[in-house]
């Protein structure tokens, strides 16, 4: 696999793919998306005009949307511990929780970030912030029950769902603390941050923390 990843080290969705690449120990060319490398964003937009990232290039084929990227990696670089379980029941649980972490954790935290980053001449959007935080608390409580007795998200091995959970819970906890009232979810987040692949993306992103407008970038 001749892999190129168009990504930024502080992006939560880029973390998700980076964690998968590090778990599978796959070599890749890092096409960083920042003002010092405008040619990388221009090339990304040639493949995906919306300019959303990450994007993975494997030879002449481009893949976007993080879950699809990781499915591609798992299918084409198999290991003894696939990120999508072979057992169909475990695979379904993995895909379900992958969507929960993306859509109902990360995406519910995002309005708070967007609101904080609005230019001074653009009205704030407290309604979207409040709605996102209320839904985030609901899904925290759901996960607190769903993850009881599990080391990893699907209950068995580190998987696609954990690749999604690590960045989602990392940033969401800065915005809406999980709190000691949810010990299962708190412990799961701690296990994720101790995983070598996750610890690596956290360290790689550390220089960019000053750009984050909310939360607790002085911890973790």
């Amino acid at each position: 696999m001749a892999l190129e990843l168009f990504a930024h080290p502080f992006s939560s969705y880029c973390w998700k793919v980076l964690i998968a690449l590090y778990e599978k120990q796959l070599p890749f060319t890092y096409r960083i998306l920042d003002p010092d490398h405008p040619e990388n964003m221009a090339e990304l937009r040639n493949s995906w005009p919306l300019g959303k990232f990450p994007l993975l290039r494997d030879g002449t084929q481009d893949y976007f949307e993080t879950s699809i990227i990781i499915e591609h990696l798992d299918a084409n670089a198999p290991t003894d511990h696939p990120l999508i379980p072979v057992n169909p029941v475990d695979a379904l649980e993995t895909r379900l929780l992958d969507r929960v972490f993306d859509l109902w954790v990360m995406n519910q935290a995002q309005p708070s970030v967007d609101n904080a980053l609005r230019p001074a001449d653009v009205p704030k959007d407290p309604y979207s912030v409040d709605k996102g935080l209320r839904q985030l608390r609901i899904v925290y409580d759901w996960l607190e029950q769903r993850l009881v007795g599990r080391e990893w998200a699907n209950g068995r091995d580190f998987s696609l769902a954990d690749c999604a959970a690590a960045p989602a819970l990392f940033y969401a906890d800065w915005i809406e603390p999980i709190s000691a009232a949810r010990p299962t979810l708190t412990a799961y987040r701690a296990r994720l941050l101790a995983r070598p692949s996750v610890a690596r993306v956290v360290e790689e992103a550390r220089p960019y923390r000053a750009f984050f407008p909310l939360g607790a970038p002085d911890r973790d």
Side-chain angles (χ1 to χ4, degrees):
M1 303 177 78
L3 301 176
E4 297 176 79
L5 181 68
F6 293 78
H8 189 281
F10 202 58
S11 161
S12 59
Y13 285 113
C14 294
W15 280 24
K16 181 178 170 182
V17 173
L18 284 164
I19 291 165
L21 287 164
Y22 295 156
E23 283 287 326
K24 299 179 85 63
Q25 300 182 9
L26 292 172
F28 65 96
T29 300
Y30 202 148
R31 303 289 297 275
I32 192 165
L33 299 167
D34 65 11
D36 294 330
H37 302 84
E39 71 281 2
N40 289 340
M41 180 55 80
E43 194 165 343
L44 168 66
R45 287 189 182 278
N46 283 336
S47 295
W48 183 219
L50 288 176
K52 298 293 185 179
F53 49 85
L55 181 142
L56 182 79
R57 177 168 294 159
D58 185 357
T60 61
Q61 184 66 47
D62 292 333
Y63 300 90
F64 50 90
E65 295 298 331
T66 55
S67 300
I68 299 302
I69 292 172
I70 294 173
E71 293 255 10
H72 171 74
L73 292 174
D74 218 41
N76 291 277
T79 63
D80 291 339
H81 299 288
L83 294 173
I84 316 297
V86 174
N87 179 289
V89 174
D90 293 341
L92 192 62
E93 178 73 359
T94 296
R95 291 186 173 98
L96 169 67
L97 286 167
D98 168 64
R99 305 321 304 134
V100 168
F101 286 116
D102 277 1
L103 299 176
W104 298 106
V105 178
M106 194 68 260
N107 285 5
Q108 302 314 309
Q110 191 63 45
S112 294
V113 180
D114 293 341
N115 196 55
L117 291 173
R118 283 173 178 247
D121 60 342
V122 176
K124 296 292 186 180
D125 185 9
Y127 174 80
S128 294
V129 170
D130 181 65
K131 180 181 177 182
L133 293 178
R134 283 188 283 110
Q135 292 181 329
L136 193 55
R137 295 180 199 112
I138 291 169
V139 81
Y140 279 175
D141 290 337
W142 184 85
L143 287 165
E144 177 70 18
Q145 299 303 314
R146 188 77 167 201
L147 298 178
V148 168
R150 300 183 183 188
E151 180 179 11
W152 302 113
N154 68 18
R156 295 178 183 269
D157 297 313
F158 192 92
S159 71
L160 164 69
D162 303 292
C163 295
L169 292 175
F170 181 88
Y171 286 113
D173 183 58
W174 283 6
I175 294 162
E176 177 65 22
I178 294 168
S179 84
R182 302 180 181 96
T184 296
L185 190 57
T186 299
Y188 173 58
R189 182 179 185 273
R191 285 195 298 277
L192 287 168
L193 293 182
R195 184 87 175 184
S197 60
V198 178
R200 182 174 174 181
V201 299
V202 171
E203 288 306 311
E204 290 174 348
R206 198 172 291 276
Y208 300 93
R209 289 189 176 194
F211 296 106
F212 196 75
L214 297 170
D218 56 333
R219 63 175 169 83
D220 293 320

